[in-house]
Amino acid sequence: MRFPEMAGNYIVWHDYRNGNYDIYMYDISTGQEIQITTDASHQYYPAISGNRIVWQDYRNGNADIYIYDISTGIETQITTDASSQSYPAISGNRIVWQDYRNGNWDIYMYDISISTGIETQITTNTQSQSYPAISGNRIVWHDYRNGRNNPDIYMYDISTGIET
């Protein structure tokens, strides 16, 4: 069991018990453990907010982001680009991740409440930005624009569009 995350009565993690990494959930209120993913490829780094779990998934030959709605039992693929998308985070209706489609790591966001399926690129610097986290209207990440050996933490405010 690795990389536990928690929201409300739910704990999620990735686990190698079946010979590949899968996503599991434990419901504290019922005492029930549930295997969320069953695909034979690896699924890593779950994050949870409310009734939604996101993770990095290799079933298509590269890392993509998937989401599972605990309330409905529906799993949905979020990213489809041929490059890797990894290390997702979620807050409410917004998912963020690091994405390699431009030849370096950038931060992208997807708003579940907007049914258009549009991904928004948050960072555009030619150096890598990685390991995003999100809370409400704020996204933070590691940023290497000032040197590879000394990453800084940057923040983007979704409501104002200002990066600091």
Side-chain angles (χ1 to χ4, degrees):
M1 292 184 235
R2 295 180 153 203
F3 296 95
E5 294 276 335
M6 183 175 183
N9 285 322
Y10 301 118
I11 302 168
V12 295
W13 66 92
H14 69 242
D15 192 307
Y16 196 76
R17 72 179 76 171
N18 297 315
N20 64 291
Y21 284 103
D22 287 307
I23 307 301
Y24 284 81
M25 179 186 78
Y26 180 77
D27 185 335
I28 296 167
S29 64
T30 65
Q32 183 179 16
E33 180 181 281
I34 301 164
Q35 184 176 353
I36 301 299
T37 61
T38 58
D39 189 84
S41 61
H42 294 300
Q43 292 85 36
Y44 296 106
Y45 308 116
I48 185 168
S49 178
N51 288 326
R52 295 182 180 123
I53 305 167
V54 294
W55 66 88
Q56 171 181 326
D57 195 303
Y58 284 88
R59 73 181 73 179
N60 299 311
N62 67 297
D64 288 310
I65 306 302
Y66 277 73
I67 187 169
Y68 178 81
D69 188 313
I70 298 166
S71 301
T72 64
I74 295 174
E75 177 185 279
T76 306
Q77 184 176 356
I78 299 297
T79 62
T80 58
D81 191 85
S83 64
S84 288
Q85 295 84 41
S86 55
Y87 298 105
I90 185 169
S91 178
N93 289 325
R94 295 180 178 127
I95 304 167
V96 294
W97 64 89
Q98 68 183 50
D99 195 302
Y100 205 75
R101 73 181 72 185
N102 299 313
N104 68 300
W105 292 110
D106 288 308
I107 306 302
Y108 275 72
M109 180 183 75
Y110 182 88
D111 191 327
I112 301 162
S113 65
I114 302 171
S115 61
T116 58
I118 295 174
E119 299 167 355
T120 303
Q121 185 175 356
I122 301 299
T123 62
T124 58
N125 188 277
T126 57
Q127 297 301 311
S128 287
Q129 293 83 43
S130 57
Y131 308 112
I134 184 169
S135 179
N137 285 328
R138 294 187 178 113
I139 304 168
V140 295
W141 62 88
H142 279 194
D143 198 297
Y144 295 93
R145 70 183 75 180
N146 296 317
R148 185 73 184 146
N149 295 326
N150 187 24
D152 295 309
I153 304 297
Y154 276 72
M155 181 178 74
Y156 178 79
D157 188 314
I158 299 165
S159 60
T160 65
I162 296 173
E163 179 183 293
T164 54

